[in-house]
Amino acid sequence: MTELLTAAQMRAVEQAAIDSGEVTGLELMERAGRGVVEAIFEEWPELAATSHRAVVLCGPGNNGGDGFVVARLLKEWGWEVEVFLYGDPEKLPPDARVNYERWGEVGETEISQDRQVWYHGPSIVIDALFGTGLTRAIDEALFSRTLLRSHKRSPITRVVAVDLPSGMCSDSGRMLAGKSGRADLTVTFHSAKYGHVVGSGPSLCGRLHVTDIGISRRYGMAYAFESNAPFVPSYLLDSPEWRLLAKTVGGPAEGRSSQHKYTHGHALILSGGPGKGGAARLAARGALRIGAGLVTVGCPPEALTETAARLDAVMCRPVADAEAASHVLQDERLNAVGLGPGIGVGEETRAMVRTVLAARRATVLDADALTSFAEAPDTLFSMLHDRSVLTPHGGEFRRLFPDIAGKLAAPATKGPAYSKVDATREAAARAGCVVLYKGPDTVIADPEGRAAINSAHYDRAAPWLATAGSGDVLAGFITGLLARGSDPMSAAETGAWLHVECALEFGPGLIAEDLPEMLPKVFRRLEP
């Protein structure tokens, strides 16, 4: 997992490194500019072979200072470089002013007070106008006459954003006042920011390259807030966390010989009636494949034959109503419950949820179990406990948390804008349990504010996950991990990460039934 930072946290990290004497601001700016040039040549090796033409658009802050370094380095490489500055050079921050003057020794700068730039067919346009410090909507004329021009370019032109595309909020991935540039490559420094992986960020950034500028990691957690407030970590789930996967792939070799099916837990998946049990069966298959020792589907008696005919290793038993569920849950070996997929919306489902939550088992509530409380979400929240996991998609989230969803949907006019991370954290605090807010930018948060982002973008893009039933499988993955003994946050994080890995393993053409069958291949690839 990789630590993510807000803009304020990144500024605090940089300042802590500077204050320590480890590095100067000028050195950081030089390393950032060099990192941009190296990333360009890594992304497009053909550009390093011969001279090309670049247009560098520099803003009035330190992002513009990075742009001047890029311009100078490309000029030294033999490129033809045009530089435009938006603002007064006398008002540039000190380090940016130094690099403006250094560039002036080798090239000219056009001061574009009228916000207009005319250029034709460069190989590269460097967007160094506004970076992580942007807190307001950018000038409409600047956007329309400059940034938009870079997208009405010749086919050979690439746009490279320094830190992030201008006009995008670093903390939310949202376009301030609905306007932002769009890049083919975004180069950021030290750590990815929230906005690179949530909201519109991934679609605006093109490809993302994180470059090391030599700041020690010890300045991360301890110095992340300028206000010295407690730092609540957020992570990008971009690599396996062996601590979380150990129980899934079998744990340490010692002790395996003494394990049996009940040591891996017994998951109960509650199902809908005849013709409506497919979603629960998908969840059950996911729970079994991810390693639950036993999985039982509880369904109405009239659906028992249909359900049993479609399952082999998964057991079935009749569960007609909440009273029957209470009787089944007297078996203490049933240590995790998943309900919601295909179970139906209404009072019967609400009663089932009340019964399951009263039994204090680790519980995943999804789909219909959430929608059944759309008119009375506080009733649901009052019953939840710290071993619960809610897994809403966007529509279900709006039904349970309409005011939070409203803040997220409101136009972003200034930064830091309200983000999906903010929304999920607020929802988890209100519900008092882990909330997994689904989407290509799935966000998982616990009531204490810890958050993780499972981004299916960039090299992990898996658009074929947008298929019926994939969310049901995810609910099953999480239920199975809870049955195996994972805590709710770890189960949600690991289940979400493996969900994307299974989709990538299969590739285009995926249907939900394929996801559990990819787990053995993923496990074999991951096992140390």
Side-chain angles (χ1 to χ4, degrees):
M1 297 193 291
T2 300
E3 179 185 345
L4 294 170
L5 297 177
T6 65
Q9 290 164 359
M10 185 65 213
R11 286 194 298 272
V13 167
E14 289 177 332
Q15 192 59 53
I18 293 168
D19 290 345
S20 73
E22 180 182 278
V23 68
T24 67
L26 268 177
E27 287 171 332
L28 289 179
M29 195 169 283
E30 184 73 18
R31 293 171 188 177
R34 191 170 299 277
V36 171
V37 173
E38 290 173 351
I40 290 171
F41 292 158
E42 181 180 329
E43 183 70 18
W44 300 293
E46 67 276 12
L47 295 182
T50 59
S51 176
H52 295 273
R53 180 166 170 258
V55 168
V56 183
L57 309 176
C58 296
N62 282 328
N63 200 246
D66 296 339
F68 289 121
V69 176
V70 173
R72 174 170 49 81
L73 294 175
L74 288 176
K75 183 79 170 181
E76 291 173 0
W77 198 267
W79 282 39
E80 178 187 349
V81 182
E82 293 179 84
V83 175
F84 298 84
L85 171 62
Y86 295 84
D88 184 348
E90 298 299 323
K91 296 180 180 179
L92 286 168
D95 293 336
R97 177 64 187 270
V98 169
N99 279 304
Y100 164 74
E101 292 171 350
R102 287 178 177 174
W103 160 251
E105 296 173 3
V106 295
E108 295 182 354
T109 300
E110 181 174 330
I111 311 301
S112 299
Q113 300 287 4
D114 62 357
R115 307 297 200 210
Q116 296 189 54
V117 168
W118 304 104
Y119 52 82
H120 303 282
S123 299
I124 292 285
V125 174
I126 304 294
D127 172 8
L129 288 165
F130 299 100
T132 59
L134 184 67
T135 59
R136 57 181 173 78
I138 62 176
D139 183 86
E140 180 76 19
L142 172 61
F143 180 84
S144 61
R145 296 175 186 172
T146 301
L147 295 178
L148 282 183
R149 282 186 59 77
S150 66
H151 299 289
K152 297 176 180 178
R153 58 192 187 272
S154 73
I156 65 168
T157 303
R158 289 94 160 181
V159 175
V160 178
V162 178
D163 242 341
L164 48 90
S166 291
M168 188 186 99
C169 172
S170 176
D171 289 3
S172 67
R174 302 179 67 185
M175 296 177 285
L176 296 181
K179 301 291 187 181
S180 176
R182 188 179 301 272
D184 298 295
L185 173 68
T186 296
V187 185
T188 195
F189 313 112
H190 180 67
S191 173
K193 316 307 182 294
Y194 288 37
H196 293 130
V197 293
V198 297
S200 300
S203 64
L204 296 174
C205 289
R207 292 185 62 80
L208 180 65
H209 184 100
V210 181
T211 190
D212 182 6
I213 53 174
I215 298 178
S216 171
R217 290 290 161 182
R218 71 176 180 270
Y219 299 115
M221 299 291 190
Y223 297 95
F225 276 133
E226 293 171 321
S227 62
N228 294 320
F231 177 62
V232 181
S234 295
Y235 298 97
L236 177 65
L237 300 177
D238 58 352
S239 61
E241 174 59 59
W242 293 112
R243 179 182 60 82
L244 304 180
L245 287 174
K247 291 180 180 179
T248 303
V249 297
E254 62 272 15
R256 286 185 184 178
S257 60
S258 64
Q259 294 179 1
H260 53 82
K261 58 190 177 185
Y262 283 106
T263 64
H264 295 170
H266 188 174
L268 173 66
I269 306 294
L270 294 170
S271 174
K276 298 179 180 178
R281 291 193 293 271
L282 286 169
R285 187 71 173 176
L288 189 67
R289 272 293 190 197
I290 212 161
L294 300 91
V295 179
T296 293
V297 171
C299 62
E302 60 270 23
L304 194 61
T305 300
E306 172 192 318
T307 302
R310 300 293 303 275
L311 299 171
D312 293 313
V314 174
M315 299 178 289
C316 305
R317 63 183 301 171
V319 179
D321 50 27
E323 183 179 352
S326 179
H327 178 74
V328 169
L329 288 169
Q330 291 178 15
D331 184 348
E332 295 291 337
R333 295 174 299 182
L334 285 163
N335 64 333
V337 183
L339 71 157
I343 201 169
V345 175
E347 178 52 38
E348 289 184 7
T349 296
R350 289 191 289 273
M352 193 78 78
V353 170
R354 285 193 290 269
T355 296
V356 169
L357 291 174
R360 307 294 291 184
R361 302 300 203 278
T363 303
V364 177
L365 298 181
D366 186 38
D368 294 345
L370 302 177
T371 299
S372 291
F373 288 89
E375 302 303 318
D378 289 341
T379 301
L380 172 63
F381 302 153
S382 69
M383 297 185 291
L384 294 167
H385 50 73
D386 61 3
R387 299 176 68 203
S388 308
V389 180
L390 309 184
T391 58
H393 58 50
E396 292 154 358
F397 190 93
R398 285 191 295 273
R399 294 175 200 126
L400 286 183
F401 308 100
D403 56 327
I404 298 175
K407 287 193 287 185
L408 189 59
T413 58
K414 63 180 181 179
Y418 194 73
S419 73
K420 189 173 181 179
V421 177
D422 297 322
T424 310
R425 279 179 165 149
E426 189 172 348
R430 181 178 300 178
C433 68
V434 169
V435 173
L436 181 151
Y437 189 171
K438 289 187 282 196
D441 55 348
T442 292
V443 180
I444 307 150
D446 68 13
E448 287 69 48
R450 170 180 164 142
I453 300 169
N454 185 52
S455 175
H457 297 106
Y458 306 118
D459 292 340
R460 296 191 79 229
W464 42 89
L465 260 178
T467 184
S470 66
D472 305 320
V473 175
L474 174 58
F477 281 2
I478 299 170
T479 306
L481 291 167
L482 290 171
R484 290 188 65 94
S486 291
D487 65 86
M489 187 69 179
S490 297
E493 289 174 348
T494 307
W497 188 83
L498 288 170
H499 193 240
V500 173
E501 289 300 301
C502 288
L504 295 172
E505 188 71 41
F506 189 92
L510 173 87
I511 59 174
E513 288 93 326
D514 300 320
L515 287 165
E517 308 318 307
M518 294 298 103
L519 275 171
K521 293 183 179 180
V522 173
F523 288 156
R524 282 194 294 272
R525 173 162 53 83
L526 294 176
E527 199 165 14

